[in-house]
């Protein structure tokens, strides 16, 4: 059994290669051969023939790919070439777009914050539709969350307290896809990350920030190992399946009534922080899952 692990070679920092190397080491321990590739090293080629990759012989193609990037065009190309990709290009596409994520979750009646989708605007010099802002305030109240559809590490999430602040932020986001969302005050600066692989939550932690409404560790939050309830486990697994992912990091908020609310799903959740906190190596579970799935394809 042999596979590729693909990451984005353009992103700064070592955390993206680090994730790939953890997966490769876990595969090595299971006697599964893998090679690590940057997405820039695998150029998708289209012509009047079947989809292929430049300078890659068909005889050297892998049996599977672990795709740790968001380059859905390359992931889709690999799928069209008949290669099983974990996670699929469609799961990555839905996960990467928070609007599509919430729509997928809502369609399965899963608990999410009340959300209003801002209408699409094509340019950033269009006047703000203040009626839309008023409807968001009327529906969700203040303060509320404004969240860009595309973003990572909590950096494109904003807490606004007043109508003036909301309208100013809406102006700055013109031309981008974004949402207005209910602020879950009971989860201020605190959430839980559950890492799902297949039908199982394999590790979990609570993240807490001392001076920020976001609990992301990259924003200064601290971590503590956590034993999720049966309900939290069921919601995290259902959320992962709702977007069609094989594995994912599911972030849950603490609702006012004690019930969990889904904040977001990351189809490419990094695993080092989870290991540092819980001593659980999620990579081992991902590789075991892929081995079982690949065996099933050939039975």
């Amino acid at each position: 059994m042999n596979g590729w692990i693909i990451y984005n070679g353009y992103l700064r920092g070592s955390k993206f290669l680090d994730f790939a190397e953890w997966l490769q080491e876990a595969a090595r321990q299971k006697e599964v051969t893998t090679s690590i590739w940057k997405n820039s090293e695998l150029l998708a080629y289209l012509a009047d023939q079947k989809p292929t990759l430049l300078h890659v012989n068909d005889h050297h193609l892998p049996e599977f790919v672990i795709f740790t990037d968001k380059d859905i065009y390359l992931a889709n190309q690999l799928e069209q070439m008949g290669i099983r990709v974990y996670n699929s290009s469609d799961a990555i596409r839905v996960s990467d777009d928070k609007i599509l994520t919430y729509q997928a979750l809502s369609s399965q009646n899963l608990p999410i914050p009340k959300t209003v989708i801002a209408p699409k605007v094509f340019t950033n010099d269009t006047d703000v539709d203040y009626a839309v802002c008023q409807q968001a305030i009327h529906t969700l109240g203040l303060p509320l969350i404004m969240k860009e559809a595309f973003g990572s590490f909590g950096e494109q999430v904003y807490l606004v307290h007043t109508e003036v602040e909301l309208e100013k932020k809406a102006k700055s986001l013109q031309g981008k896809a974004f949402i207005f969302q209910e602020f879950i005050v009971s989860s201020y600066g605190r959430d839980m990350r559950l890492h799902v692989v297949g039908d199982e939550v394999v590790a979990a932690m609570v993240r807490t920030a001392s001076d920020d409404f976001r609990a992301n560790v990259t924003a200064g939050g601290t971590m503590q190992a956590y034993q999720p309830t049966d309900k939290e486990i069921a919601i995290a697994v259902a959320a992962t399946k709702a977007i069609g992912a094989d594995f994912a990091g599911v972030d849950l908020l603490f609702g006012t009534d004690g019930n969990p609310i889904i904040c977001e799903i990351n189809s490419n959740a990094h695993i080092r922080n989870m290991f540092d906190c819980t001593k659980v190596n999620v990579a081992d579970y991902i590789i075991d899952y892929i081995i079982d799935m690949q065996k099933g394809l050939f039975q």
Side-chain angles (χ1 to χ4, degrees):
M1 190 178 296
N2 69 89
W4 288 353
I5 303 169
I6 298 176
Y7 76 104
N8 193 300
Y10 294 102
L11 296 172
R12 297 179 179 178
S14 61
K15 66 176 63 178
F16 305 98
L17 175 59
D18 179 69
F19 183 20
E21 289 176 339
W22 274 60
L23 290 165
Q24 185 176 52
E25 175 58 22
R28 186 192 65 78
Q29 292 183 18
K30 301 290 182 178
E31 299 183 344
V32 175
T33 302
T34 59
S35 56
I36 296 175
W37 296 79
K38 299 176 183 179
N39 66 323
S40 55
E41 296 172 327
L42 300 168
L43 299 183
Y45 179 66
L46 301 170
D48 56 349
Q49 59 192 45
K50 66 178 183 179
T52 187
L53 301 175
L54 287 180
H55 310 304
V56 178
N57 190 298
D58 284 354
H59 296 296
H60 297 120
L61 292 175
E63 297 174 57
F64 67 90
V65 167
I66 308 176
F67 210 85
T68 71
D69 188 32
K70 298 180 180 180
D71 187 344
I72 58 174
Y73 304 113
L74 176 57
N76 185 54
Q77 184 92 347
L78 294 166
E79 289 167 342
Q80 291 188 24
M81 294 167 63
I83 301 169
R84 177 65 159 90
V85 179
Y86 303 88
N87 283 301
S88 71
S89 61
D90 194 56
I92 297 169
R93 178 183 64 86
V94 175
S95 172
D96 190 37
D97 184 331
K98 292 179 176 61
I99 296 175
L100 292 180
T101 295
Y102 289 122
Q103 288 179 324
L105 296 172
S106 179
S107 72
Q108 298 300 311
N109 300 316
L110 292 170
I112 60 173
K114 296 182 180 67
T115 302
V116 175
I117 301 172
K120 185 174 182 62
V121 176
F122 288 96
T123 63
N124 60 7
D125 59 355
T126 304
D127 291 336
V128 174
D129 187 342
Y130 294 109
V132 171
C133 296
Q134 289 294 327
Q135 290 182 63
I137 293 172
H138 177 75
T139 303
L140 306 173
L142 287 170
L144 60 75
I145 296 292
M146 297 178 71
K147 185 179 295 186
E148 296 183 37
F150 302 95
S152 300
F153 310 117
E155 294 177 359
Q156 289 76 31
V157 181
Y158 317 98
L159 176 61
V160 297
H161 296 84
T162 67
E163 181 178 340
V164 171
E165 189 179 351
L166 184 146
E167 291 175 352
K168 182 178 180 180
K169 179 56 68 176
K171 177 63 177 177
S172 72
L173 295 179
Q174 291 291 82
K176 297 180 179 180
F178 70 95
I179 57 174
F180 305 93
Q181 196 166 69
E182 171 191 14
F183 176 48
I184 308 300
V185 65
S186 55
S187 202
Y188 185 97
R190 193 168 63 109
D191 71 6
M192 65 186 95
R193 161 68 60 87
L194 279 61
H195 213 120
V196 177
V197 180
D199 295 325
E200 184 181 5
V201 170
V202 301
M205 62 183 177
V206 169
R207 305 181 297 186
T208 306
S210 59
D211 57 356
D212 198 312
F213 72 96
R214 299 162 297 183
N216 301 71
V217 174
T218 52
T222 59
M223 307 173 291
Q224 183 176 358
Y226 179 67
Q227 178 56 53
T229 66
D230 290 344
K231 185 170 188 177
E232 290 161 355
I233 291 171
I235 288 174
V237 172
T240 302
K241 291 185 178 301
I243 69 164
D246 298 292
F247 47 84
V250 181
D251 296 340
L252 301 180
L253 302 174
F254 296 89
T256 55
D257 54 2
N259 288 319
I261 299 171
I262 303 167
C263 180
E264 61 181 58
I265 309 173
N266 189 335
S267 66
N268 298 309
H270 292 183
I271 59 177
R272 179 175 285 277
N273 284 339
M274 184 65 78
F275 178 80
D276 290 342
C277 179
T278 67
K279 304 309 176 187
V280 175
N281 187 351
V282 176
D284 291 333
Y285 290 90
I286 292 175
I287 296 300
D288 284 341
Y289 172 85
I290 290 173
I291 290 172
D292 289 342
M293 293 295 290
Q294 289 299 116
K295 287 180 178 178
L297 292 176
F298 297 101
Q299 289 179 351

